[in-house]
Amino acid sequence: MISYEIHISGRVQGVGFRPFIFNLAEEFGLKGYVSNDELGVIIVCQGENSEQFFNEIHHRKPKSSEIIFSEIKEIKTAEIFDNFYIKPTEKNIVVDIPLTPDFATCESCETELFDEKNPRYFYPFTTCTQCGPRYSVTKKFPFERENTAIEVFKMCPNCLAEYQNSDDVRFHSQTNSCPNCGIQIWLKDNQGNEFKGSNKEIFEKLAEELSQGKIVALKNTAGYLLMCDATNSEAVSELRKRKRRPTKPFAVLFSGISTMQEYLEMSELQIQHFKSSESPIIVTKIKEVKDLAIEEISPNMNTIGAMFPYSGTLKLVSKTFGKPLIATSGNFHGSPICSTTEEAEQILGKIADYFLHNTLEIQHPQDDSVIKFSPKHHQKIVFRRSRGFAPNYFFAEELSELNKEKNKILSLGGDLKNTFAIVPNNHVYISEYIGDLANFETYERFENTVKSYQKIFNFQPEIILKDLHPKYENQNIISKFSKKSAQSARIEEIQHHKAHFASILGEKKLWKKDKVLGVIWDGIGFGTSTEIWGGEFFLLENKKIERVAQLENFAWILGDKMSKTPKISALSVSGNNEDLKFAFDENEWKIYTNLIEKSEVKTSSMGRFFDAVAFVLGYEKPLFFEGEPAMWLEKISQEKFPTDFTDFHRLKDYLKNDEFENIPTKKLFSKILEEKKSGKSAGKIGLNFHYTLIKAIEKIAQRFAVKEIAFSGGVWQNALLVDLAIEFLGDKFELHFHEKLSPNDENISFGQLNYYLNLK
């Protein structure tokens, strides 16, 4: 009998692919088997409809799956099959496939949560083949129950019957469980007193305490969240005080789309993303404040990070409480998200009044992903790439061409907003957002995540890529590998901003283009021993990258103090302009001006330039989180550039009549000071500042006769700057913005990898 062997690679494990294949094979009258293997899924089938069956797989594949390679071929076999079945996966195989991220709870499972007659009524961990935790519960791959934290919950007869029934939505669902055999929850206060009751009673008690202004640490599927009543200003203020987070905006959890639409300006595009399997937080403009404690939630801003209840736990708490809730990462500001009972009670005990724990052991703790769409042109901007997106990056086709030697590579990324990337096989995996490695606990999370990947892929790096900065914390991990590996691994250094440029070139597949201008703007990155970069223009030409222009340098003094004190940036950019004397006492003025005059270290930091402009336009306080002054400047400037803005002649290019090779920092800043002294509104000056930068990009792009411009670096999280670029450059150049990765330092690891593979 003619037999066929079918291989399918991509995101095909943990998405209900085998049960889908089983039912499709039954429909086509085929016999044989389907199984997971190291490359994805293998199917052996017999029957005259096999080729039609192969084609139909692509048309009807599960919604959460992603096929990146497939083939069918005839094989010779003496075996004759009596039926079609799901064959158990072979033990101890090392996978070479994309890993499966966590999926938001589907509508079918949500219906069961609130159905009083359903056995899973108020069971937070209701999942099926199409939804629920995957990456966060996985110990190793392939994705089988025995390789996950769900393994310890042995299926009861009812769950097992569902698992074995090919007509059931939970047929072969690896995360299947119910209240009788699955994950248990319990509620206790910070004194150790436990509340006894059913799941429904626990959530009702939780809602009661939240309504009394209490703060709750709730264990979600990928880590703890801190929650309180978003309409109670005292509760939100108390959370800020306890969490040590003075001003950074909080995310707000709404019970559903209709509730969101009461408070927020919602586009169809945003609704689609809220309802997607990734369901990220979306930074959204407020339509009507209503009862929200908005000044405490998002001080001085007109947007909030809106969260859709993507898990069973969040659906139950938001529906039971009935009002919007603060839902912020369960940590002290700057530390990694908590994931165990012990960790939560130890670290969050001084923050939370109550704890909602559960018995699920989280393997990969993750923060929620955060995105935004620019108001005018709806350009997607990723602020944080984590739950739902990490750790996959579909780069296999390029990788096979660039890494013919099949080197095993580790890219360490940056130190702030760290991610790392590995190439252990034919795929690249970019870790979830890890954070600032200057924090000890965050560095530990970084090390533990690297170790986890080593275990999953049986991986020892042959090449290690690191930043040029000599003191980045992530370089400490190199000594943690076995001596043999560390000695044999080749270590390559890649400059920070070149990695940013390489990242957008890789994401948008631009390496083979004739000429691309890279506009790489961020806070700081090590350039040379006397130069800190941050406002750079690079040219890709003939597969070479050259720095061709920059923001003109100004003095860099006092390290982190300058980064956290905008008035120091303003003084430096201005060249000690006496108009700024009002902001300093006599001693400060003497010390700072002297340091600026004598400084040997210079910087082209666009991030510090934004701080300086924000300061002279009214932002006069110390900042409490990175980018705070720039966010404020974007907000007041955006108010002068509404989405229906068409009166472009009102915009002013402060450098219109100037010819320059590098953006003249001091001259531009002087004109902003003049405008402020003349009484112009801060918002209009801010908008003109953004516009002037875009026109400066145009001049530099024309000088190098480029047709394509690529943007990267944290400054390009500024949605106004993105909209202005599209508005005024989009018809003259082809523009490339990050959409899969964040423009901030999260993309450095992927950029290091791209730089090495393309320019080694």
Side-chain angles (χ1 to χ4, degrees):
M1 178 177 283
I2 296 175
S3 297
Y4 294 89
E5 187 174 271
I6 297 171
H7 288 275
I8 300 177
S9 295
R11 192 162 76 189
V12 292
Q13 294 188 9
V15 293
F17 210 88
R18 287 176 296 171
F20 156 71
I21 292 295
F22 176 91
N23 283 315
L24 191 64
E26 291 270 286
E27 181 183 322
F28 276 81
L30 304 182
K31 296 177 180 179
Y33 66 82
V34 58
S35 184
N36 281 339
D37 68 2
E38 67 275 11
L39 297 175
V41 166
I42 181 171
I43 303 160
V44 173
C45 57
Q46 295 171 345
E48 60 184 23
N49 295 323
S50 293
E51 292 187 16
Q52 187 183 348
F53 162 74
F54 173 72
N55 292 330
E56 202 64 20
I57 290 171
H58 298 77
H59 295 138
R60 291 161 60 179
K61 65 183 177 65
K63 184 176 70 171
S64 300
S65 65
E66 186 115 19
I67 296 174
I68 59 177
F69 170 80
S70 64
E71 69 171 4
I72 181 171
K73 59 184 179 183
E74 285 188 32
I75 58 169
K76 292 181 180 178
T77 176
E79 188 172 5
I80 297 176
F81 298 102
D82 297 324
N83 56 12
F84 197 92
Y85 65 99
I86 297 176
K87 182 179 179 180
T89 305
E90 291 182 22
K91 302 286 185 183
N92 302 318
I93 63 173
V94 179
V95 296
D96 187 1
I97 57 170
L99 306 188
T100 310
D102 291 1
F103 297 126
T105 302
C106 68
E107 289 183 10
S108 171
C109 287
E110 180 179 5
T111 300
E112 294 185 38
L113 281 175
F114 296 104
D115 180 358
E116 292 183 28
K117 297 177 181 177
N118 193 285
R120 290 185 173 84
Y121 179 57
F122 264 79
Y123 178 59
F125 305 96
T126 300
T127 67
C128 66
T129 56
Q130 295 305 300
C131 73
R134 298 292 191 267
Y135 175 63
S136 62
V137 299
T138 297
K139 295 178 179 178
K140 60 180 182 177
F141 279 79
F143 190 79
E144 302 284 356
R145 192 182 184 95
E146 65 191 39
N147 293 336
T148 73
I150 309 291
E151 179 200 17
V152 297
F153 305 101
K154 304 302 177 187
M155 282 186 281
C156 65
N158 286 340
C159 285
L160 192 59
E162 291 173 327
Y163 183 85
Q164 294 171 339
N165 180 2
S166 61
D167 293 327
D168 197 284
V169 70
R170 296 187 174 89
F171 175 47
H172 226 72
S173 171
Q174 303 303 313
T175 55
N176 193 25
S177 66
C178 75
N180 296 324
C181 62
I183 301 153
Q184 303 301 305
I185 63 170
W186 72 100
L187 180 66
K188 63 190 289 191
D189 64 23
N190 59 10
Q191 301 301 307
N193 303 306
E194 187 175 340
F195 173 79
K196 304 288 185 182
S198 66
N199 281 3
K200 186 172 186 288
E201 290 167 336
I202 285 173
F203 277 101
E204 287 171 344
K205 171 66 173 174
L206 190 63
E208 182 185 323
E209 295 301 333
L210 285 164
S211 67
Q212 297 297 315
K214 296 293 192 285
I215 297 167
V216 173
L218 173 147
K219 188 178 182 183
N220 199 20
T221 48
Y224 280 83
L225 294 172
L226 286 165
M227 311 189 86
C228 71
D229 182 355
T231 68
N232 184 330
S233 58
E234 290 181 7
V236 182
S237 295
E238 185 62 24
L239 176 56
R240 284 205 174 279
K241 180 180 170 185
R242 295 185 193 178
K243 190 174 160 73
R244 301 175 194 166
R245 182 167 163 162
T247 56
K248 191 173 185 180
F250 283 136
V252 178
L253 174 70
F254 296 90
S255 59
I257 298 298
S258 59
T259 308
M260 287 178 168
Q261 288 172 322
E262 294 176 21
Y263 292 88
L264 308 172
E265 291 186 4
M266 298 274 287
S267 69
E268 192 55 43
L269 186 61
Q270 288 170 316
I271 292 170
Q272 287 172 16
H273 278 75
F274 279 126
K275 288 184 167 183
S276 69
S277 62
E278 296 86 7
S279 192
I281 293 171
I282 303 179
V283 178
T284 310
K285 191 173 182 182
I286 298 163
K287 178 175 72 176
E288 195 173 334
V289 171
K290 294 172 74 73
D291 54 355
L292 288 177
I294 197 62
E295 272 308 308
E296 291 75 22
I297 294 168
S298 190
N300 302 313
M301 302 301 292
N302 58 3
T303 58
I304 56 172
M307 182 189 289
F308 183 80
Y310 58 82
S311 71
T313 305
L314 295 182
K315 289 181 186 298
L316 291 170
V317 71
S318 60
K319 197 76 172 277
T320 307
F321 183 62
K323 290 189 292 184
L325 285 160
I326 299 299
T328 186
S329 298
N331 57 4
F332 269 123
H333 186 49
S335 300
I337 190 170
C338 294
S339 61
T340 68
T341 304
E342 298 73 21
E343 191 178 42
E345 293 187 359
Q346 180 184 348
I347 294 172
L348 305 180
K350 294 179 181 177
I351 303 178
D353 301 303
Y354 282 84
F355 293 87
L356 182 67
H357 295 304
N358 66 58
T359 54
L360 177 65
E361 186 180 337
I362 296 170
Q363 303 301 307
H364 294 103
Q366 303 162 81
D367 292 276
D368 290 301
S369 296
V370 184
I371 67 171
K372 182 178 183 177
F373 295 96
S374 67
K376 190 171 179 67
H377 292 285
H378 311 294
Q379 175 66 42
K380 181 181 175 184
I381 304 169
V382 179
F383 281 63
R384 183 167 67 202
R385 179 185 174 275
S386 198
R387 176 200 51 79
F389 296 103
N392 295 320
Y393 191 84
F394 292 98
F395 191 63
E397 186 180 336
E398 295 88 345
L399 194 62
S400 63
E401 180 185 333
L402 296 168
N403 191 29
K404 289 187 169 67
E405 306 87 355
K406 297 193 180 296
N407 289 317
K408 298 184 185 300
I409 305 170
L410 168 64
S411 295
L412 296 176
D415 252 22
L416 192 66
K417 295 181 170 62
N418 173 265
T419 68
F420 64 87
I422 67 164
V423 178
N425 48 39
N426 292 306
H427 296 270
V428 58
Y429 305 87
I430 307 173
S431 76
E432 63 274 22
Y433 163 85
I434 294 174
D436 183 358
L437 301 187
N439 178 284
F440 176 72
E441 290 83 7
T442 308
Y443 180 80
E444 279 192 320
R445 177 68 51 81
F446 163 75
E447 277 203 352
N448 290 336
T449 311
V450 173
K451 287 176 186 173
S452 170
Y453 280 44
Q454 286 186 274
K455 183 179 177 183
I456 288 172
F457 297 108
N458 190 25
F459 168 74
Q460 285 291 342
E462 297 163 339
I463 296 165
I464 299 174
L465 309 176
K466 70 184 189 75
D467 195 272
L468 203 57
H469 196 296
K471 294 184 179 179
Y472 266 11
E473 294 291 337
N474 58 18
Q475 297 170 19
N476 295 332
I477 201 172
I478 295 171
S479 63
K480 301 279 180 164
F481 296 114
S482 68
K483 285 186 178 180
K484 182 179 177 184
S485 172
Q487 285 170 354
S488 61
R490 186 165 82 252
I491 298 169
E492 300 275 350
E493 294 182 332
I494 295 161
Q495 199 279 328
H496 186 91
H497 299 93
K498 290 180 180 178
H500 268 307
F501 188 29
S503 179
I504 186 66
L505 292 173
E507 180 179 331
K508 295 298 183 176
K509 302 181 181 179
L510 303 174
W511 282 101
K512 294 181 181 178
K513 297 283 187 175
D514 292 335
K515 195 188 282 190
V516 181
L517 182 70
V519 184
I520 314 301
W521 291 352
D522 65 0
I524 56 172
F526 187 85
T528 68
S529 59
T530 60
E531 200 176 17
I532 294 167
W533 290 4
E536 314 310 317
F537 292 83
F538 294 100
L539 191 65
L540 171 73
E541 191 171 17
N542 300 322
K543 289 212 80 171
K544 290 182 180 177
I545 288 177
E546 182 185 359
R547 185 189 188 210
V548 292
Q550 64 178 92
L551 185 68
E552 272 185 3
N553 283 334
F554 49 96
W556 177 262
I557 64 168
L558 298 171
D560 278 353
K561 184 166 180 143
M562 185 170 176
S563 297
K564 294 175 181 176
T565 315
K567 69 179 185 179
I568 298 176
S569 292
L571 187 64
S572 177
V573 170
S574 75
N576 291 338
N577 190 309
E578 296 261 335
D579 288 341
L580 300 177
K581 207 165 187 176
F582 73 92
F584 303 88
D585 62 38
E586 191 175 332
N587 195 44
E588 282 180 328
W589 181 262
K590 184 178 178 181
I591 291 170
Y592 296 160
T593 54
N594 187 48
L595 286 172
I596 288 167
E597 282 177 17
K598 294 182 177 178
S599 175
E600 292 182 3
V601 180
K602 307 295 181 184
T603 184
S604 56
S605 169
M606 186 61 79
R608 298 298 75 79
F609 193 25
F610 267 80
D611 290 350
V613 174
F615 173 75
V616 298
L617 294 184
Y619 186 94
E620 296 182 1
K621 58 184 186 193
L623 63 125
F624 291 104
F625 63 91
E626 190 204 13
E628 187 174 8
M631 285 175 64
W632 175 86
L633 179 59
E634 178 188 351
K635 179 232 175 186
I636 66 165
S637 305
Q638 181 71 66
E639 288 168 353
K640 301 298 181 181
F641 188 72
T643 54
D644 58 355
F645 187 98
T646 55
D647 194 6
F648 297 126
H649 76 273
R650 284 166 46 200
L651 295 177
K652 188 173 181 179
D653 176 4
Y654 293 134
L655 300 173
K656 183 176 182 180
N657 299 317
D658 294 281
E659 294 297 323
F660 51 82
E661 290 189 2
N662 299 316
I663 298 176
T665 313
K666 187 177 177 181
K667 180 182 281 189
L668 174 53
F669 194 69
S670 297
K671 293 190 177 181
I672 289 167
L673 283 172
E674 287 171 18
E675 291 274 274
K676 186 71 169 65
K677 282 197 288 185
S678 72
K680 296 269 176 62
S681 82
K684 282 186 179 177
I685 299 169
L687 176 58
N688 288 335
F689 166 64
H690 284 78
Y691 175 67
T692 300
L693 292 177
I694 297 303
K695 298 302 283 184
I697 292 171
E698 183 179 357
K699 282 184 182 179
I700 291 170
Q702 287 171 341
R703 175 152 54 95
F704 290 101
V706 298
K707 295 178 181 176
E708 302 195 47
I709 308 175
F711 304 86
S712 190
V715 169
W716 292 103
Q717 288 180 316
N718 182 321
L720 172 60
L721 203 61
V722 169
D723 267 345
L724 287 167
I726 296 169
E727 190 74 47
F728 295 104
L729 303 179
D731 60 345
K732 300 168 187 171
F733 307 93
E734 191 172 343
L735 308 181
H736 303 280
F737 298 97
H738 287 288
E739 293 177 284
K740 296 178 181 176
L741 301 173
S742 173
N744 70 27
D745 281 8
E746 288 181 42
N747 73 49
I748 290 293
S749 58
F750 183 64
Q752 289 168 341
L753 177 64
N754 259 270
Y755 189 92
Y756 172 76
L757 290 175
N758 284 279
L759 300 177
K760 60 187 174 183

